[in-house]
């Protein structure tokens, strides 16, 4: 009986052993065939630390290859919390907080994370890096990263824009050309043991691919001249804002573009949206009398008038429908040339009536108003121009002199370029070429013709009329000393919130080209709400004069220097 019971117990134990044996085999098979990839991935994460290697962002150069935006090498501080004890974490937080100018609680929260890698501070100064390295903390390391820097601080702020902490473009050209500039990140793999200690074995590294360089059409010297003079006017006339554009009318290349107020590109975190806004391409305003060049050019092109056609300007008051049109001073009989020179609203409206609403609208569109010009920077707007079917009875008098029309400073610059270059609308642009790290050209952007707007004969006649504006008319304060120039003044009333025209808020503007016989630059200046003076001929024309004179002298010297260098 005892032997039988013993045999039964032995058989039960054997069967139980077999059951657990086959259960273990089944579990192992399940792990091997169904869970192996998941567990291998966990093991890989535990034994391999992946660090992203940031690419070096491409440099932005002016047309003479002077750097405008560069990346410099800084060090970033990281921690490996899994290697640190509670006391070590507290000591590190206490000592690093004053060095990094961070709250102790912030560092403590970062160190308390259950991770193998956390950032403590990105792109610290060389002095901070040296002090931290001297502390020789376990579990604290440094990684070299690049930081975006702008050597000229405020220069070209709304055009360049800026990049964020991760070197991603956020504004301006930095944003528009981000895919070219940012490059592609790389990776470094660090092998660790079961206690997360780094092993002295070869690390695996996939190097980052650095970004491409941009070469702009902007000339740093021209930009400096333009910003210097714009700043003077902005401060002198206590303006709300101001813009200036210097463009090569032959190609559409922008040599300078500036706005006020500006901001320090190296401190973008402390500026308002008003400072960041690129007013020259995203602010719409009624242009006033500078718009008369469109009416005048259309009338000449359509043979509705010639330079000596006479118009009676009603001694300063002219009734159109239920609206009385005024001139800034009374005029009697004026020739067509004198109408533009003296900026007569009444004379211009009579010219427009000969032209007709449909034909005037056609030329407004042909000059590029009411549509984006396609400039290579974010923020450009269409402007506004209503088709003739939506015009009121007074529109034929208001539109020709720049009312009921919304434009940008860039649209005015390209429209003036049509007259300066012989009748051709050129696409404005800011980037001339893209280069790789070896200096090879990856992409080249040539001048682009949009369409022919005027015949060369009409453009030449308009240039002579605009020279007369400078010599005999409202633009005398913009007259150059050593060079001939043509231009047009503008003084536009702003709209009040109730829809009526303001009597104390104006936009003063001036647009001009020089030298008149072979225009190399076209310049547009707009000043928003200047006071106590607000006339375009008083506020904006002197800015044109100073900028044009200095820029032409510089370009002449630059051309001579290049010719001398080529001879050598």
């Amino acid at each position: 009986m005892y032997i039988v019971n013993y045999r039964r117990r032995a058989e039960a134990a054997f069967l139980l052993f077999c059951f657990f044996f086959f259960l273990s085999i089944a579990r192992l098979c399940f792990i091997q065939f169904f869970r192996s990839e998941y567990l291998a991935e966990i093991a890989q994460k535990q034994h391999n630390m992946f660090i992203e290697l940031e690419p070096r962002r491409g440099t932005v150069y002016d047309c003479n290859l002077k750097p405008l935006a560069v990346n410099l090498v800084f060090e970033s501080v990281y921690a490996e919390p899994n290697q640190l004890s509670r006391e070590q974490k507290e000591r590190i937080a206490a000592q690093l907080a004053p060095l990094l100018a961070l709250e102790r609680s912030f560092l403590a929260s970062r160190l308390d994370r259950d991770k193998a890698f956390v950032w403590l501070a990105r792109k610290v100064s060389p002095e901070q890096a040296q002090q931290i390295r001297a502390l020789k903390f376990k579990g604290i390391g440094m990684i070299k990263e690049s930081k975006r820097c702008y050597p000229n601080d405020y220069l070209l702020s709304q055009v360049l824009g800026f990049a964020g902490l991760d070197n991603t473009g956020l504004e301006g050209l930095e944003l528009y050309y981000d895919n070219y500039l940012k490059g592609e990140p790389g990776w470094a793999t660090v092998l660790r043991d079961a206690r997360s200690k780094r092993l002295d074995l070869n690390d695996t590294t996939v190097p980052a691919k650095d970004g491409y360089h941009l070469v702009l059409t902007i000339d740093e010297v021209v930009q400096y001249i333009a910003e210097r003079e714009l700043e003077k006017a902005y401060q002198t006339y206590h303006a709300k804002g101001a813009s200036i554009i210097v463009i090569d009318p032959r190609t559409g290349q922008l040599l300078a573009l500036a706005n006020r107020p500006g901001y320090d590109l190296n401190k973008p975190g402390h500026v308002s949206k008003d400072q960041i806004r690129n007013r020259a391409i995203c602010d719409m305003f009624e242009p006033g009398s500078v718009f008369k060049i469109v009416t005048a050019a259309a009338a000449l092109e359509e043979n509705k008038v010639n330079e000596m056609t006479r118009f009676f300007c009603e001694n300063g008051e002219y009734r159109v429908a239920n609206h009385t049109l005024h001139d800034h001073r009374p005029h009697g009989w004026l020739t067509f040339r004198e109408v533009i020179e003296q900026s007569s609203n009444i004379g211009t409206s009579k010219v427009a009536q000969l032209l007709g609403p449909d034909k005037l609208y056609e030329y407004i569109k042909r000059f590029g108003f009411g549509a984006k010009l396609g400039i290579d920077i974010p923020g450009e707007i269409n402007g506004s121009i209503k088709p003739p079917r939506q015009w009121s009875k007074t529109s034929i008098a208001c539109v020709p002199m720049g009312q009921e029309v919304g434009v940008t400073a860039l649209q005015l610059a390209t429209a003036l370029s049509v007259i300066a270059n012989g009748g051709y609308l050129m696409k404005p642009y800011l980037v001339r070429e893209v280069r790789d790290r070896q200096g090879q050209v990856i992409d080249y952007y040539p001048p682009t013709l949009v369409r022919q707007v005027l015949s060369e004969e009409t453009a030449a006649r308009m240039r002579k009329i605009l020279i007369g504006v400078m010599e005999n008319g409202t633009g005398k304060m913009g007259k150059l000393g050593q060079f001939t120039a043509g231009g047009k003044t503008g003084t536009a009333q702003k709209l009040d919130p109730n829809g009526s025209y303001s009597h104390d808020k104006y936009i003063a503007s001036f647009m001009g080209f020089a030298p008149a016989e072979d225009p190399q630059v076209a310049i547009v200046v707009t000043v928003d709400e200047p006071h106590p003076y607000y006339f375009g001929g008083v506020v904006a024309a002197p800015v044109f004069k100073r900028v044009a004179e200095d820029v032409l002298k510089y370009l002449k010297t630059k051309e001579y220097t290049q010719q001398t260098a080529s001879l050598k």
Side-chain angles (χ1 to χ4, degrees):
M1 189 67 180
Y2 175 78
I3 296 174
V4 172
N5 290 337
Y6 177 79
R7 183 179 297 167
R8 287 178 179 173
R9 286 196 296 269
E11 290 174 350
F14 178 74
L15 290 175
L16 184 63
F17 172 79
C18 290
F19 173 76
F20 280 110
F21 177 76
F22 285 113
L23 185 65
S24 299
I25 294 296
R27 178 63 178 169
L28 289 173
C29 290
F30 173 76
I31 292 174
Q32 179 67 30
F33 293 107
F34 297 100
R35 300 282 285 175
S36 60
E37 292 183 4
Y38 170 74
L39 295 173
E41 184 179 350
I42 292 177
Q44 187 177 22
K45 289 181 178 179
Q46 290 175 342
H47 293 287
N48 294 280
M49 181 173 69
F50 294 91
I51 300 174
E52 182 177 351
L53 302 178
E54 185 181 44
R56 189 166 186 176
R57 193 169 178 83
T59 301
V60 180
Y61 296 98
D62 84 334
C63 64
N64 300 311
L65 298 183
K66 295 178 182 177
L68 300 171
V70 299
N71 268 48
L72 301 179
V73 177
F74 287 77
E75 290 189 283
S76 294
V77 186
Y78 71 89
E80 298 173 339
N82 290 349
Q83 296 188 27
L84 302 172
S85 65
R86 171 60 57 185
E87 291 130 7
Q88 289 174 321
K89 291 178 182 180
E90 291 176 356
R91 188 169 68 254
I92 289 171
Q95 294 190 45
L96 289 189
L99 288 179
L100 296 175
L102 294 172
E103 293 291 335
R104 181 175 175 177
S105 58
F106 170 78
L107 290 177
S109 66
R110 302 288 293 178
L111 292 168
D112 279 340
R113 295 186 179 186
D114 185 21
K115 289 188 175 183
F117 179 94
V118 294
W119 288 114
L120 295 184
R122 303 286 297 277
K123 302 172 185 178
V124 300
S125 68
E127 294 77 15
Q128 289 174 312
Q130 185 176 2
Q131 291 174 335
I132 294 169
R133 194 177 286 108
L135 295 174
K136 297 181 180 180
F137 282 132
K138 175 188 174 184
I140 301 297
M142 301 275 195
I143 294 177
K144 292 185 182 297
E145 292 191 294
S146 60
K147 180 180 179 181
R148 202 61 162 172
C149 297
Y150 303 90
N152 298 312
D153 297 334
Y154 288 83
L155 197 74
L156 208 66
S157 54
Q158 288 93 354
V159 173
L160 288 175
F162 53 86
L165 189 64
D166 59 354
N167 272 331
T168 298
L170 300 177
E171 291 287 343
L173 291 174
E174 294 276 26
L175 172 60
Y176 194 91
Y177 285 95
D178 190 53
N179 288 337
Y180 278 115
L181 290 165
K182 68 181 179 182
E184 298 177 6
W187 293 90
T189 305
V190 178
L191 190 63
R192 301 177 299 178
D193 63 13
R195 295 185 177 181
S196 295
K197 291 183 178 180
R198 183 170 175 172
L199 300 176
D200 293 330
L201 299 174
N202 291 332
D203 300 335
T204 302
T205 302
V206 177
K209 182 179 178 182
D210 292 337
Y212 293 129
H213 304 310
L214 298 184
V215 180
L216 306 187
T217 63
I218 296 289
D219 189 308
E220 184 184 67
V221 176
V222 177
Q223 181 72 26
Y224 170 76
I225 294 169
E227 294 211 25
R228 179 192 67 195
E229 299 304 329
L230 188 69
E231 179 69 19
K232 288 179 184 177
Y234 175 69
Q235 296 292 343
T236 300
Y237 296 104
H238 315 287
K240 180 179 179 181
S243 297
I244 187 170
I245 295 174
V246 183
I247 189 171
D248 184 339
R250 302 161 296 183
T251 62
Q253 293 183 350
L254 292 174
L255 304 180
L257 190 159
N259 301 279
R260 286 296 180 271
Y263 64 98
D264 187 345
L265 286 166
N266 292 305
K267 301 175 182 178
H270 305 285
V271 298
S272 65
K273 292 182 179 179
D274 186 56
Q275 291 172 289
I276 293 175
R277 190 172 79 252
N278 193 340
R279 295 168 177 268
I281 66 168
C282 69
D283 275 17
M284 184 173 67
F285 58 93
E286 289 192 349
S289 294
V290 291
F291 199 71
K292 291 173 183 175
I293 66 168
V294 177
T295 306
L300 286 177
E301 183 75 3
E302 294 296 317
N303 294 316
K304 296 297 183 180
V305 298
N306 61 46
E307 286 80 350
M308 300 311 295
T309 303
R310 288 164 57 82
F311 294 90
F312 182 58
C313 295
E314 308 291 341
N315 295 316
E317 290 189 8
Y318 180 49
R319 189 78 176 175
V320 179
N322 60 348
H323 178 70
T324 301
L325 198 62
H326 295 89
D327 279 338
H328 66 282
R329 65 185 181 87
H331 298 289
W333 286 96
L334 296 176
T335 65
F336 172 73
R337 178 191 294 274
E338 291 170 335
V339 165
I340 304 304
E341 288 179 353
Q342 302 303 321
S343 197
S344 170
N345 296 331
I346 295 170
T348 303
S349 71
K350 289 190 174 184
V351 173
Q353 290 174 49
L354 291 177
L355 196 61
D358 291 328
K359 190 59 69 172
L360 177 59
Y361 177 76
E362 176 189 331
Y363 275 88
I364 291 172
K365 299 294 286 185
R366 285 172 65 177
F367 267 92
F369 296 102
K372 292 181 180 179
L373 295 164
I375 188 171
D376 49 339
I377 193 171
E380 184 188 9
I381 63 171
N382 292 322
S384 176
I385 172 65
K386 296 182 294 185
R389 66 177 180 275
Q390 297 179 11
W391 287 16
S392 66
K393 293 180 180 180
T394 59
S395 293
I396 191 60
C398 295
V399 172
M401 64 178 191
Q403 293 183 345
E404 299 185 15
V405 180
V407 306
T408 65
L410 181 65
Q411 289 173 336
L412 290 177
T414 54
L416 179 64
S417 296
V418 170
I419 293 170
N421 68 24
Y424 301 93
L425 181 64
M426 304 299 295
K427 178 183 176 181
Y429 64 109
L430 284 159
V431 174
R432 190 178 71 195
E433 58 193 34
V434 180
R435 297 185 178 186
D436 63 15
R437 289 281 165 179
Q438 289 70 45
Q440 298 297 315
V441 176
I442 303 300
D443 274 323
Y444 174 73
Y445 303 100
T448 303
L449 172 65
V450 179
R451 58 181 165 268
Q452 185 171 1
V453 180
L454 304 172
S455 66
E456 292 191 8
E457 178 188 357
T458 299
R461 293 166 71 184
M462 278 299 302
R463 287 198 296 273
K464 290 181 180 179
I465 291 173
L466 295 181
I467 292 171
V469 173
M470 305 286 282
E471 299 289 338
N472 311 309
T474 57
K476 291 179 181 179
M477 293 185 71
K479 185 177 178 180
L480 307 186
Q482 299 181 18
F483 304 93
T484 56
K488 185 71 187 76
T489 59
T491 306
Q493 293 172 283
K494 296 181 70 173
L495 289 172
D496 282 332
N498 61 9
S500 62
Y501 282 102
S502 173
H503 293 287
D504 58 4
K505 294 179 181 179
Y506 297 84
I507 292 181
S509 57
F510 187 89
M511 58 198 305
F513 55 84
E517 60 277 5
D518 180 24
Q520 296 180 37
V521 293
I523 301 173
V524 170
V525 182
T526 62
V527 183
D528 187 7
E529 296 187 20
H531 59 276
Y533 302 107
Y534 56 83
F535 289 109
V538 176
V539 175
V543 178
F544 164 81
K545 169 185 168 65
R546 294 190 293 269
V547 172
E549 285 182 336
D550 286 354
V551 168
L552 290 175
K553 291 175 185 176
Y554 161 71
L555 293 177
K556 192 173 181 180
T557 303
K558 179 181 174 182
E559 182 180 0
Y560 174 77
T561 303
Q562 290 174 342
Q563 289 175 350
T564 304
S566 64
L567 290 174
K568 292 180 180 179

